[in-house]
Every structure is written in C-alpha cells, then in structure tokens.
Amino acid sequence: MELPRRWFFRLLLLIVAAGSGILFALYSSALGLPTLPGIRTTPRCQHPLYLAIGRNHRFRGLFDLSIPVLLWGGLFTPELWDNLSQHKVPYGWWGLPREAIVSTLSLLNSSESAKLFATSRKPAPSCVRCAVVGNGGILNGSGQGPKIDAHDYVFRLNGAVIKGFERDVGTKTSFYGFTVNTMKNSLISYKHLGFTSVPQGQDLRYIFIPSSIREYLMLRSAILGTPVPEGPDKGDRPPIYFGPEASASKFKLLHPDFISYLTERFLKSKLINMPFGDVYMPSTGALMLLTALHTCDQVSAYGFITSNFRKYSDHYFEREKKPLIFYANHDLLLEAALWRDLHEAGILWLYQR
C-alpha cells in the first residue's frame, strides 16, 4: 500500500533528524569532545562554546571540561589531602589546619554543593547562557543592562555596584564571586561610590575563591550561622554579608585543583618567576569568567579589559576617570590577551566599544 504524501514527508524528516544526530555524535567523537555526565553533547544552542573549542587547535588542547570546578565534601579523601597539602593556597592546602578544611567540607555534603546550577530550577534552560560582569570602566554609558539581564545567569564580583548603573550593568545577580580579602576591601574602598553591601537574594549563590584559610573559616561560619571563631575575621557575622539564609546550597567553593589548572593552562604568567611570584594568581574576574566557560553553554563577558582600555576609567562606577591599576599579584595584560583570543575563536563574546 502506498503511503499518503504527508506521512511520506514525516517519515523523511524523522530519517533526516536521526541521521543528523548520528553525524553529530560522530563529529563530537572525532573532535574528542567530552561525553561525561553534566557535559552537553547535543546541539541545543545555536553556537555552543564547546563546539568552538573543538574547532580551535590551540584551545582544544587547553580545555578540559571534565575537571571538577567545585570542591565539596564528597571529593575529600586522604589522597586529596596529601596532594593538596603539597601546594600553597590558592592551589592547595600547604600550612592550613586539616581540622578547618575537613569541618568546612563536611558541611558541603550534598550533591547541590557539587553543581553550580540548581537542578531544582524549572523549567531548566536548554541552552545555559551566562553573562560575567566585570567592573571595568568600559561599561559606564554602555547601555548594556537589558542585554546582561537577558542571560539565564549573571556572574558579578568584588565591588559590583548596581544602584544608579542599572542601565549599563543590569540588575540580575545569580552568582557573586570573591575572596574574603577582595570582598572586604571592596566594601571599604568603594563604600563612598555606592558599594555598601554584598549582593543578596534568595536565589543568589556565593562562590568562594579559596585564597587563604579565611575562606574556609568564613564559609563554615556562614553555613552554621555563627561568628567566625578565629583568624583575621574573628567575630565577623556572615549574615551581615550574605543574608540570613544559612543553607549550604547557597555557597560554592572553587576547587584548588581547578584554580591550578586554569593558571597552568591559561594564565601562566611570567610574574611567577619574579620576586614575590608566590603571591601571583589569576584575578577574581578571570576566575569567574573561566568558571563560566567551564559550566555554561554560551558566555558573554562585560566590563573586562579590551585593547583600548586606556580610554576608560578603572571602574564604571567612579565619578572621575582613573587609570587602570596593575597590581603585582595579577597579570591583567595576559588576561586581556586571553579574552581577545577566546573572542576571536568564537568561544566567548567580549563586549567592546
């Protein structure tokens, strides 16, 4: 019996769709793209960044999308302690008290602590689009706020002033990344410019960058809702910074091995071989942007250094133009070159003007 014409075309479409899936799987295999849990291998985005990585010879050899981004209790083993105890923070635990590390990680004991994005979000976006918002002066007068807020998730960091700059930087904050030092310094240095408190919100998550023992102690106290018991932040009450909610799912901790991997493969600066090279580490903005590049399907970067950075003030919220400050513990020009190359490779989209 001859099939009706409409059924013939439906059958043909099904065959084509199935064939496309097979071809895509073969293409991914040929490129060596990861097929581990949590790594997307179906083309649900128009331009997913992992396909751009696979097409670029240089970055295909640098990215490892299977490496754990976050550290949580389920990853702690005696072997991990022995390994990380050989390296100084932020790349390890050398010189840090084991009890403080273990007691903190024991509180990050659910699978939510292992994931950046909440699995309870409904409906979950089929293509996770992330905006990472730096604090560069290029954003002043940019009018990019609505475009930033249109992303599924928005990362902010350090002195993220929003009030009065909504049109340029948006209002949405999904993740706030920091070290305790950069957070507290921002609250002091930029208070008169509008940064009077750390972003807060029910759905907001905090990403701790473990640059010292301070992050582990502050994180533990934040989850328990108790004052910090010792160290430079002794007596601090975390709810002042992060709000009253004390659920462990609200807090994320970057894995020291992830920071080491990012430094070694993407931002291995010559500063490491200079005097005081031990203090070198990627900037907070760099760590947040690279975190997004390892967890999102598409990433847009706003407020990061571009080739014409001298035209703009150091920060978008400054009332008078100030030159970009190059601190000895960061290599901002190396980072700028990386953002340019990733943009040109189509792996991220860098806002420029």
Side-chain angles (χ1 to χ4, degrees):
M1 181 181 296
E2 190 173 323
L3 286 172
R5 184 180 296 271
R6 66 177 183 275
W7 289 109
F8 173 78
F9 282 114
R10 288 182 182 179
L11 181 60
L12 182 61
L13 286 172
L14 286 172
I15 293 171
V16 170
S20 298
I22 295 170
L23 288 174
F24 181 80
L26 292 173
Y27 174 67
S28 300
S29 176
L31 290 179
L33 296 176
T35 56
L36 297 172
I39 303 298
R40 292 173 173 78
T41 54
T42 54
R44 292 186 285 182
C45 293
Q46 186 176 0
H47 302 290
L49 65 86
Y50 69 87
L51 285 186
I53 292 170
R55 291 191 294 265
N56 186 282
H57 177 73
R58 172 192 171 191
F59 288 116
R60 187 168 68 240
L62 294 181
F63 274 90
D64 179 1
L65 297 181
S66 68
I67 189 169
V69 172
L70 302 177
L71 178 61
W72 66 295
L75 295 181
F76 184 83
T77 62
E79 292 75 20
L80 184 67
W81 171 261
D82 291 341
N83 178 49
L84 293 183
S85 294
Q86 306 304 311
H87 308 284
K88 295 180 180 179
V89 288
Y91 312 111
W93 296 330
W94 185 81
L96 302 188
R98 178 177 177 134
E99 181 181 354
I101 303 299
V102 172
S103 62
T104 298
L105 294 183
S106 68
L107 298 173
L108 299 172
N109 55 12
S110 74
S111 59
E112 286 292 306
S113 298
K115 303 169 185 175
L116 198 62
F117 305 121
T119 55
S120 59
R121 176 172 174 174
K122 295 180 181 180
S126 60
C127 176
V128 179
R129 300 172 61 248
C130 299
V132 185
V133 185
N135 299 323
I138 192 173
L139 285 178
N140 192 305
S142 67
Q144 294 298 302
K147 293 181 180 179
I148 290 171
D149 286 345
H151 290 75
D152 298 301
Y153 298 98
V154 178
F155 294 70
R156 300 186 193 270
L157 52 114
N158 296 343
V161 179
I162 291 178
K163 187 176 181 180
F165 296 92
E166 294 88 347
R167 182 177 177 276
D168 294 334
V169 303
T171 60
K172 180 189 292 187
T173 305
S174 311
F175 298 98
Y176 175 75
F178 62 98
T179 69
V180 172
N181 185 58
T182 62
M183 176 187 73
K184 297 184 81 169
N185 281 348
S186 295
L187 287 168
I188 294 171
S189 301
Y190 309 132
K191 181 179 181 179
H192 68 292
L193 296 173
F195 190 65
T196 56
S197 67
V198 172
Q200 296 183 10
Q202 181 177 357
D203 296 327
L204 192 150
R205 300 293 180 261
Y206 298 99
I207 303 178
F208 281 74
I209 300 170
S211 68
S212 67
I213 189 60
R214 298 172 71 181
E215 282 70 43
Y216 295 98
L217 296 174
M218 181 70 76
L219 176 54
R220 182 177 185 274
S221 291
I223 296 173
L224 295 176
T226 59
V228 178
E230 57 183 299
D233 310 297
K234 183 178 180 179
D236 266 11
R237 297 181 178 275
I240 295 175
Y241 304 117
F242 313 119
E245 185 184 341
S247 170
S249 64
K250 198 168 187 64
F251 305 99
K252 311 295 180 180
L253 178 65
L254 284 193
H255 200 306
D257 276 344
F258 180 64
I259 301 175
S260 179
Y261 148 82
L262 296 180
T263 304
E264 181 68 25
R265 295 202 184 189
F266 297 93
L267 293 168
K268 192 171 185 178
S269 172
K270 294 180 180 178
L271 294 177
I272 295 173
N273 301 318
M274 301 287 185
F276 308 107
D278 285 348
V279 303
Y280 170 76
M281 66 179 290
S283 69
T284 306
L287 291 174
M288 288 300 96
L289 186 46
L290 286 164
T291 293
L293 286 168
H294 283 75
T295 51
C296 307
D297 293 311
Q298 293 180 347
V299 174
S300 303
Y302 297 85
F304 284 80
I305 303 177
T306 55
S307 59
N308 59 347
F309 69 88
R310 290 182 179 85
K311 289 177 57 179
Y312 308 105
S313 190
D314 191 358
H315 302 103
Y316 65 81
F317 46 77
E318 287 161 339
R319 299 188 180 100
E320 298 179 0
K321 183 179 177 182
K322 295 183 178 180
L324 178 65
I325 299 175
F326 291 88
Y327 294 99
N329 60 330
H330 302 314
D331 192 338
L332 298 183
L333 292 180
L334 178 63
E335 293 181 6
L338 177 61
W339 313 144
R340 178 200 64 213
D341 294 347
L342 288 166
H343 174 81
E344 292 177 352
I347 296 170
L348 64 75
W349 180 83
L350 176 66
Y351 173 69
Q352 303 174 74
R353 57 190 286 206

